[in-house]
Amino acid sequence: MAKKYVYSWGDGKAEGSGKLKDLLGGKGANLAEMSRLGVPVPPGFTITTEMCRFYWENGQKLPEILKEEAGIALKNLEKLSGKKFGDANNPLLVSVRSGAAISMPGMMDTILNLGLNDEVADGLAKLTNNPRFAWDSYRRFMQMLGDVALGIEHEKFEEKLNEIKAKKGVKNDLDLDADDLHEVVKLYKEVYRSEGKEFPQEPVEQLWVAVEAVFASWNNKRAIKYREINGMDKMGLLGTAVNVQMMAFGNMGESSGTGVAFTRNPNTGEDKTYGEFLLNAQGEDVVAGIRTPQPLDQLKEINPEVHKELIDTMNRLETVFKDMQDIEFTIENGKLYFLQTRNGKRTAAAAVKIAVDMVNEGLITKGTAITRVKPADIEKLLHPTFDIEELNKAEYFGKGLPASPGAATGMAVFNADDAEAKAKEGLPVILIRPETSPEDIGGMDAAEAILTSTGGMTSHAAVVARGMGKTAVVGAENIVINDKAKTAISNGITIKEGDWLSIEGTEGKVFAGKIKTIKPTGLEGDIKTLLDFADEVSDLGVRANADIPRDAKIAREFGARGIGLCRTEHMFFEGDRIKKMRRMIVSKTKEQREAALAELLPVQKEDFKGLFESMEGYAVTIRLLDPPLHEFVPHEDAAIKDVAESVGITEEELRKVIDDLEEFNPMMGHRGVRLAVTYPEIAEMQIKAIMLAAIEMVKEGKKVKPEIMIPLVGNVKEFTLLRNSAEEIIKNLLKEHQVDVEYKIGTMIEVPRATVTADQIGENADFFSFGTNDLTQLSLGFSRDDYGKYIGDYLEKGIYDSDPFQHIDRNGVGRLIKTAVDLGRGANPHIKLGVCGEHGGDPESVEFCHLVGLDYVSCSPYRVPVARLAAAQAAVEFRRGKKVNY
């Protein structure tokens, strides 16, 4: 059977629905489904995504078979519509729109009113008895076709339109009459000729020019950037489909209009229909933010019957698609048409609320709810707020619509390129535009927040900002933005490029200057409920990397069930502890070192006790001293002098110690287990401090689970040497205090040799924790401190798909981890396995940890919610059937 490239819909018998989404794209599949449901959809047909791939793989050319199939579909469309393509007496006009399997709002091209030419425009004017509508549609089509398909700059058309408005003395397009718009069409033809082109009068030629333009837009700059930002290039998308649909006209007068509506509030998630519309307009007027629309509720006053049909159908579509819907509609002379429905973009807060509410309503399962929220959205939801004291003193600048919540502060920039450039320099920026367009996608992604002076809550800026989790204020009409002069003026204040600005997206307020932001410290409400759902299905436990009780407390509030890594070296820098540490380092004998360590033991014990109290009942993994000793000594002259005096030696003696500690490659030097081999008294002090803290907790009736981690082990003999010493110390302490403490002794797997001898180490260890930072560094031979100089070239040339320090390198480091898991479990079926490198908070890496069968991941406290959701999503997609004991 020959491959099919064109699918018709609109007769209630359309082929395909969600099952053909990859072929028809989200828009085409949903239009076909709506047609089958009897929703009033203008009829049309879809050219599949496979044809987009064919177009790009065959020199950007289309096969004749496509034109044959499309010709048959066009005849069917004429039959369904009762109109004829190119017929001046009863013309069929169509829209030509993109639609990939995954929604990319505004990133690819659309052409409306296709099929108009001089003869058809005259005929349409007579047929409708509405010349203004006919010539308005014609000038719109000419501008879109020229801009999208023929490479004529949008501004050149705008200049001619503005000439006529200036001549007429009006500011708004609506104030131009039919004669004015007829004159605009003449000027637009001059624009074509000045570019060495002729406007195509033949409708079939127009159609194929438009189809090719939409396919070509799959690889335009903004679409590529959008896919890159949203990680879509790994999803195996074929390309965009092309949807050819009978036009429904919202610009036929005051009984016509167009709008965008959501079945729930995309900003807050409230279960209330939400949207905007414009009378006597076409769709791009709403989306582009050219005119400020009216709220959807006002449609009820203007046309209650249409409003009721709209709301009823929206509710039905949400029930069918089981998600919040983003709907485009047109009213043509009082008749309602639905142009598309899709799962709506929403803020992180709305995503969480909608997911939880739909579970409670019985629409979706908990597992489905978990997949509806991106892990990154959880991180965005924990967005900062402004410090109240500073906010009260801030200089008010202006107000607009609260398009996307949060608080952000940055330097003002007035175009997308500047935003990207400044952000690459590490500067926080606020992108200020009269309105944004799809070309601004890179700058919007780079900015901390977005401010526009026009547009509504469904404008491009609002929709994209919500999808990105960016703070945004739009439609701030009291703020005069001049993007050419690079100024914004309001309330007697002028903001120039580089000036600081602060945006509060929850209430839509803007302030001049820089305001301090603060992060939240806990979870409550819907986000807590969603993460409770996540914990119900997860196979991975989530712990936190925390070194002090304050961080441990935050981690617990974010749902961590234990500490997977306590870096004890951080404890030595507080207060006067560093002096004791330095006294130990400069000691010349073991006895002197032990005396200095004896002073550190009680403070270490209290540190550990604080962690145990914060994590009562959960395991706390404490890593013995890891960094080389040179990190604890001073290197500047003034500091050397002060330290020498404080520890009671001469500057010359201290400089000799510093010189002796110097190493060519300290990250592979005298550190970790190697320190314990050379100076066992250091590890002995820490082991005593850990166990004494645990013993005191047990005597107080508290539950405690200490886990002692030996770092940088590469040889089983290193591990057994230290384990045997630790066991002896622990046995004596427990005997002395007459208590039992449940404890474990394990190692951090971060040396490649350890991964391939994990069976030997596993026989003797209670747990492995993969230190993926150093394991990546040592496996790849990439210095964590220097790789930034060249990793960009590696990514650009495709040597690595992603930064290996951000996402686990599955083909290299991942194989080493899998080897260690298999060998370790083979030798010790009861061994506990986790990861505590920075990858523990990265969703992609969390999925890998689930797939290789780890028991837990550990990450920074603020990433705990992200890891919890990522772990649950991995469990939903790749069920392991193994619940863990945290």
Side-chain angles (χ1 to χ4, degrees), residues 102-212:
I102 298 175
S103 176
M104 298 168 56
M107 294 304 108
M108 292 176 291
D109 290 327
T110 292
I111 296 175
L112 305 180
N113 308 309
L114 189 143
L116 279 168
N117 56 24
D118 294 347
E119 185 181 354
V120 172
D122 276 327
L124 187 64
K126 293 171 185 173
L127 179 69
T128 60
N129 196 28
N130 190 341
R132 189 197 180 282
F133 151 71
W135 294 106
D136 180 51
S137 299
Y138 193 13
R139 67 94 185 172
R140 288 172 183 269
F141 171 52
M142 292 183 71
Q143 182 165 349
M144 293 185 90
L145 189 74
D147 178 23
V148 169
L150 300 175
I152 303 173
E153 290 180 11
H154 172 81
E155 287 74 15
K156 294 187 176 181
F157 293 107
E158 287 296 302
E159 286 173 8
K160 298 300 181 183
L161 180 64
N162 289 333
E163 277 183 28
I164 299 299
K165 287 195 287 188
K167 182 179 176 181
K168 185 79 178 281
V170 299
K171 292 184 177 181
N172 199 307
D173 300 358
L174 287 176
D175 296 322
L176 298 178
D177 59 24
D179 291 337
D180 299 324
L181 292 166
H182 194 217
E183 185 66 25
V184 170
V185 167
K186 290 179 182 177
L187 293 178
Y188 279 7
K189 288 178 182 177
E190 292 179 10
V191 172
Y192 273 82
R193 293 188 191 103
S194 70
E195 294 290 312
K197 306 176 192 297
E198 279 292 328
F199 172 75
Q201 291 284 326
E202 172 52 52
V204 173
E205 180 187 351
Q206 295 171 1
L207 177 62
W208 290 109
V209 166
V211 168
E212 288 198 35

Side-chain angles (χ1 to χ4, degrees), residues 299-317:
L299 181 60
K300 188 175 184 179
E301 300 172 14
I302 296 168
N303 192 326
E305 290 182 5
V306 166
H307 181 266
K308 183 178 186 305
E309 182 185 0
L310 174 64
I311 300 302
D312 289 347
T313 306
M314 286 171 64
N315 291 334
R316 183 183 176 203
L317 290 172

